[in-house]
Amino acid sequence: MAVAPVTYGASTRPPRGDYSTAREDYTCEQSWAAYGAEEHALYARLFQRQVRQMPGHACDEFVHALGQLGSKSEIPRFEDISDKLRRATRWEIVAVPGLIPERAFFSLLANRRFPVTVWLRRPEEFDYIVEPDVFHDLFGHVPLLFNPVFADYMQAFGGGGLKAEGLHALEYLARLYWYTVEFGLIATPRGLRVYGAGILSSAGETVYALTSHKPQRLPFSLERVLRTPYKIDDYQDSYFVIESFAQLFDATAPDFTPIYERVSTSAPLPLNGRLPTERVYPPNALPAGAAA
């Protein structure tokens, strides 16, 4: 997610990236020719590691769309992916230098343009990176933009973000983004699957989110999510499970104004808290011989 740390909390330090060539809307050129052989090789290693984990972990919609990202051996050209996206769901991806302000981020989403960071992590950040890079944004976020329902949800989120800014409710909308787009789970007939980009681009959390007994997995409820803070420096204590992308879109379609008003008068819920009436989804069973 390429958005400023003020609300979404990637870091309190200045964001990485060269902003000197950014346009007024914070987009820039990808400058694909500037990537070196080592960067392409590192991207390929990241891609190959994560793609091996997807069967049995990622939702089918994500797995089926992975091939749309193009070559697995080098950083893709953004325009090639955009050509496919426009035909599929009328979306496109645009290059940005790094984290961008909320208004710019929401405006891009509302116009069906997803911002993708141009820089790639360093080799020593192979397993964990604080800010989203080109691998996180492309591998984690872009495949589900080929799904029409999820693509419409993302556009609606962008429009909702522009409205929330005027209602001083960005903190609540940040929680919705975090627990759906970044760390969401979906129930399927074969067990829980991941659709959140923050999990899908992390080797460790992909397995943890589905099989560990430590976190709780709760049914998605809009007001519940808006009342639940999150942490950025460790695996999550709670995940929220949707039954379908249609459920997610329908739950977030109404006017949030009265919901923001109710939530603002309620205390935040503990990260690992559970309401008396909430059920918990059990973790997926581990394969035979696998360690918990």
Side-chain angles (χ1 to χ4, degrees):
M1 171 181 52
V3 68
V6 175
T7 297
Y8 290 94
S11 173
T12 55
R13 61 186 173 81
R16 287 162 61 173
D18 179 8
Y19 291 78
S20 63
T21 60
R23 307 179 184 97
E24 187 175 346
D25 63 356
Y26 286 89
T27 64
C28 63
E29 296 299 321
Q30 182 189 15
S31 301
W32 187 87
Y35 294 121
E38 292 183 358
E39 289 174 299
H40 287 302
L42 178 59
Y43 179 92
R45 286 177 56 211
L46 287 163
F47 192 100
Q48 290 160 10
R49 177 184 66 173
Q50 286 308 104
V51 85
R52 286 194 296 267
Q53 286 194 311
M54 294 304 98
H57 293 110
C59 64
D60 289 344
E61 293 86 348
F62 181 90
V63 173
H64 294 161
L66 269 177
Q68 303 288 355
L69 296 185
S71 174
K72 303 175 183 178
S73 60
E74 62 184 9
I75 299 170
R77 298 176 187 265
F78 292 1
E79 62 264 30
D80 292 343
I81 299 175
S82 287
D83 287 344
K84 300 174 186 177
L85 265 176
R86 292 187 194 102
R87 293 194 295 269
T89 58
R90 296 180 293 109
W91 272 79
E92 64 180 353
I93 60 175
V94 292
V96 291
L99 299 170
I100 63 175
E102 287 93 345
R103 172 160 284 274
F105 179 71
F106 295 138
S107 295
L108 289 172
L109 294 188
N111 287 283
R112 298 179 90 88
R113 306 174 77 202
F114 190 83
V116 176
T117 303
V118 294
W119 56 265
L120 181 67
R121 69 191 69 187
R122 295 183 291 266
E124 60 268 26
E125 299 171 302
F126 188 81
D127 291 317
Y128 176 77
I129 187 168
V130 174
E131 296 174 28
D133 68 343
V134 64
F135 176 75
H136 168 88
D137 285 343
L138 279 180
F139 187 93
H141 285 287
V142 172
L144 280 182
L145 292 176
F146 284 92
N147 178 270
V149 179
F150 192 82
D152 287 347
Y153 169 69
M154 290 297 291
Q155 182 183 26
F157 183 90
L162 294 172
K163 184 175 182 179
E165 186 177 33
L167 296 173
H168 307 289
L170 286 178
E171 177 185 4
Y172 305 127
L173 203 65
R175 295 170 182 174
L176 176 63
Y177 193 97
W178 189 265
Y179 284 116
T180 60
V181 179
E182 290 289 354
F183 290 92
L185 302 181
I186 186 169
T188 78
R190 300 181 307 282
L192 298 179
R193 295 292 185 269
V194 178
Y195 72 91
I199 306 175
L200 290 169
S201 59
S202 166
E205 194 153 6
T206 298
V207 177
Y208 174 89
L210 296 177
T211 63
S212 174
H213 288 271
K214 294 179 181 179
Q216 56 185 359
R217 301 162 184 87
L218 306 171
F220 175 84
S221 165
L222 178 59
E223 291 196 34
R224 172 67 160 94
V225 168
L226 297 184
R227 289 182 60 193
T228 308
Y230 56 83
K231 56 184 179 181
I232 65 171
D233 55 356
D234 201 354
Y235 295 162
Q236 300 304 299
D237 291 311
S238 297
Y239 299 95
F240 291 92
V241 182
I242 61 173
E243 296 293 325
S244 68
F245 291 131
Q247 178 208 6
L248 180 62
F249 181 80
D250 291 344
T252 56
D255 180 10
F256 278 22
T257 303
I259 301 174
Y260 290 146
E261 291 174 354
R262 289 196 299 272
V263 172
S264 67
T265 61
S266 304
L269 295 169
L271 293 177
N272 59 352
R274 181 155 60 97
L275 300 177
T277 57
E278 283 182 315
R279 68 186 180 95
V280 176
Y281 287 83
N284 290 349
L286 286 166

